[in-house]
Amino acid sequence: MADELLTKSAVEVGELIRTREVSPIEVTQRLLDHAHELNGQVNAYISFRDEQALAEAAKAEEEIVAGDHRGPLHGVPMALKDNLYVAGEVTTMASKIHGDFVSADDATVVGRLREAGVVLTGKLNMHEYAWGIDNNSPHFGAVHNPWNLDKVPGGSSGGSGAAVASDMSFSTLGTDTAGSIRIPSSACGLVGLKPTHGRVAKFGCYPLAWTLDHIGPMAKTVDDAAAMLQAIAGFDRRDPTSVDVPVGDYRGALTGDPTGLVIGVEEDYYFRDVDTEVERLVRARIDDLVSRGARVEKVSIPALKYSEWTELAVSLSEASAIHHRDLQTRPEDFGADIRFLFYLGELFSSVDYLQAQQVRRQIKHDFAAALSGVDVLIAPTLPVMAPDIGSAVADLNGDPVDLVDNFIRYTGPSNLTGLPAMTVPAGLDDGLPVGVQIIGKAFDEETVLRVGHYIEQSDPMQGRRAPVGA
């Protein structure tokens, strides 16, 4: 039987803590007990920090009793993906090579969550070095999808998605280089937001591909995602990709109704070769917005046809550069899947990489043109459903297709452009979640969140939750 307290959103439990209806110590202990009990089934956590978490919860309680309330996440326990550094503690990147790595500093986002009063319960499983989408780790084992334990949870932030979906963390952060926030959020029935590139500083996050990497929230609700973004957004000079722009009022943006909203739909790429039921559910969400006062404009993004090659050329080149020395000196310590990809990345020439950057510039130009006449673009998050753990293929309307290529096909373009993109639940297909993706203009997370909130208001999941943890 589910612990009703743990099923609440981060903002909801934060309000109970603020009003002292529940103690952060009690909440943290109940979450830790639940997470320990389920981890054998789900394998979401790599490590727990029970003693430290309870000490942080006690400190939060003291502060709140003293009238020093820091905001909606104060005292709320959550775990983080294990490529975000926590000072003085091991961060593994789900790897053998960094199995005992300890940073002297917190990641920027970790420091900002601490400032918001968040209690850190542990580190979450992920695909090794964040380069993969099934989260089947040779070093820490496969993460299981709480909606069906035989299915992949998506990746690389699969432990993050599984933890929140099974109430083992109230919310969390993922990292996203080709979709690694949005893929597991879609597969696990969550809200997942990749902010604009530069909106959230990446200091203290182990890189995969530095021009494509993003950090963002994975949460039960759009309000939770907005609260998380509010806590972590902002400039940090320690990250050379960080951009010094004003931080918005993200929770305050969740108002109004869809009247007058202009939705861009790009048919040629985002609705080509897509699972029939996925397409039906996504179009149903668009139709619902239209019935409430929005309108649809068809848009064209011609350079999208080059995006898959461009994403691979950039990400593999940058990733192999980061891991070049270890690839030369200790290749056997990498998992076989990512070792192959890093070797593949070394085959791209400097000409290939620079040509990919030129194509990337055109893709950005075409997206900007398409978005100039609309508020957001709406598309499926994934064109296929999550397959069984261990499968290298997915089913696309009865045909087997490559899993990696298809899982990143609709998410990768927003990493190339750096535009904000969010997935929210669109409904269920045969008991598994389907996500709808909202893509916005640069540094306009407020509109993306607002549209996600409109979709959420229609209750596409009809109150259903993942069976594991429910």
Side-chain angles (χ1 to χ4, degrees):
M1 195 68 183
D3 183 332
E4 185 178 349
L5 179 68
L6 300 183
T7 67
K8 294 184 180 298
S9 73
V11 168
E12 287 172 336
V13 80
E15 180 61 14
L16 293 176
I17 290 170
R18 184 191 70 81
T19 58
R20 298 171 62 185
E21 295 176 58
V22 66
S23 158
I25 300 172
E26 177 190 357
V27 176
T28 299
Q29 187 64 68
R30 286 163 70 171
L31 184 138
L32 285 168
D33 290 345
H34 176 73
H36 278 290
E37 181 181 353
L38 277 191
N39 205 48
Q41 298 178 61
V42 180
N43 196 31
Y45 277 74
I46 281 178
S47 60
F48 289 89
R49 52 194 312 276
D50 298 55
E51 185 176 337
Q52 301 97 315
L54 289 168
E56 290 169 7
K59 179 183 177 184
E61 183 169 51
E62 290 175 6
E63 291 169 342
I64 293 167
V65 169
D68 179 19
H69 184 255
R70 302 189 189 185
L73 302 177
H74 198 174
V76 178
M78 60 184 73
L80 298 177
K81 187 175 181 179
D82 204 22
N83 61 349
L84 300 172
Y85 302 170
V86 174
E89 300 180 22
V90 172
T91 300
T92 70
M93 280 58 77
S95 71
K96 179 179 180 181
I97 292 171
H98 280 85
D100 57 0
F101 170 76
V102 176
S103 169
D105 301 299
D106 279 339
T108 302
V109 292
V110 172
R112 288 178 176 167
L113 288 179
R114 289 190 193 276
E115 290 168 8
V118 167
V119 173
L120 302 179
T121 58
K123 303 300 283 295
L124 297 171
N125 208 342
M126 54 182 282
H127 206 106
E128 185 178 1
Y129 289 118
W131 188 224
I133 47 76
D134 63 4
N135 222 131
N136 191 357
S137 169
H139 310 298
F140 293 94
V143 178
H144 299 258
N145 191 320
W147 289 87
N148 180 334
L149 292 175
D150 293 330
K151 302 293 183 181
V152 303
S156 62
S157 312
S160 301
V164 177
S166 58
D167 302 320
M168 298 164 77
S169 182
F170 280 102
S171 187
T172 190
L173 298 178
T175 63
D176 192 312
T177 306
S180 290
I181 289 170
R182 290 159 290 153
I183 293 167
S185 294
S186 177
C188 293
L190 304 176
V191 175
L193 172 62
K194 181 197 77 65
T196 308
H197 194 254
R199 167 66 80 192
V200 174
K202 296 178 293 186
F203 173 80
C205 174
Y206 194 90
L208 172 57
W210 59 90
T211 70
L212 300 168
D213 294 343
H214 301 67
I215 302 172
M218 300 172 65
K220 296 178 182 179
T221 67
V222 174
D223 193 18
D224 280 3
M228 290 287 285
L229 182 61
Q230 199 75 57
I232 64 173
F235 177 69
D236 185 343
R237 66 180 64 257
R238 295 176 296 176
D239 171 16
T241 69
S242 182
V243 180
D244 192 2
V245 293
V247 173
D249 178 9
Y250 302 117
R251 294 190 70 205
L254 307 183
T255 60
D257 62 63
T259 302
L261 176 72
V262 184
I263 301 166
V265 173
E266 204 283 343
E267 298 278 358
D268 292 341
Y269 186 86
Y270 284 113
F271 286 91
R272 173 178 53 83
D273 297 331
V274 58
D275 178 273
T276 301
E277 187 63 11
V278 169
E279 180 176 2
R280 185 190 71 79
L281 287 168
V282 171
R283 291 195 188 276
R285 302 285 69 79
I286 295 171
D287 290 346
D288 176 73
L289 292 172
V290 170
S291 73
R292 293 157 62 193
R295 63 184 176 88
V296 171
E297 292 284 344
K298 290 190 176 181
V299 301
S300 176
I301 307 176
L304 266 173
K305 60 178 175 284
Y306 305 115
S307 63
E308 293 165 61
W309 173 83
T310 306
E311 167 76 29
L312 287 174
V314 174
S315 61
L316 285 173
S317 296
E318 294 181 3
S320 64
I322 291 165
H323 294 280
H324 176 71
R325 182 181 295 275
D326 286 331
L327 200 58
Q328 287 185 316
T329 59
R330 49 190 303 186
E332 70 284 353
D333 290 336
F334 289 101
D337 59 339
I338 68 162
R339 181 172 62 242
F340 167 77
L341 290 168
F342 292 156
Y343 276 137
L344 183 61
E346 299 211 340
L347 298 179
F348 287 97
S349 68
S350 58
V351 173
D352 294 327
Y353 181 76
L354 292 172
Q355 285 180 337
Q357 297 291 8
Q358 291 297 100
V359 176
R360 184 180 186 179
R361 181 178 298 177
Q362 185 61 47
I363 294 170
K364 289 183 178 182
H365 176 272
D366 287 2
F367 264 91
L371 282 162
S372 66
V374 302
D375 295 306
V376 293
L377 305 175
I378 292 184
T381 307
L382 302 176
V384 292
M385 301 301 296
D388 288 344
I389 294 169
S391 176
V393 298
D395 179 272
L396 178 56
N397 297 323
D399 295 323
V401 294
D402 183 82
L403 176 60
V404 174
D405 287 351
N406 280 272
F407 256 29
I408 68 174
R409 181 151 53 93
Y410 290 166
T411 54
S414 294
N415 296 85
L416 288 169
T417 62
L419 296 174
M422 181 170 72
T423 183
V424 297
L428 293 172
D429 175 16
D430 195 24
L432 291 175
V434 171
V436 53
Q437 185 174 199
I438 306 150
I439 302 167
K441 299 169 186 175
F443 298 103
D444 187 16
E445 286 82 7
E446 291 95 329
T447 299
V448 172
L449 286 160
R450 185 160 50 247
V451 175
H453 182 59
Y454 296 154
I455 293 173
E456 186 179 66
Q457 287 174 326
S458 67
D459 191 21
M461 301 292 276
Q462 298 179 346
R464 285 173 287 187
R465 303 177 63 256
V468 177

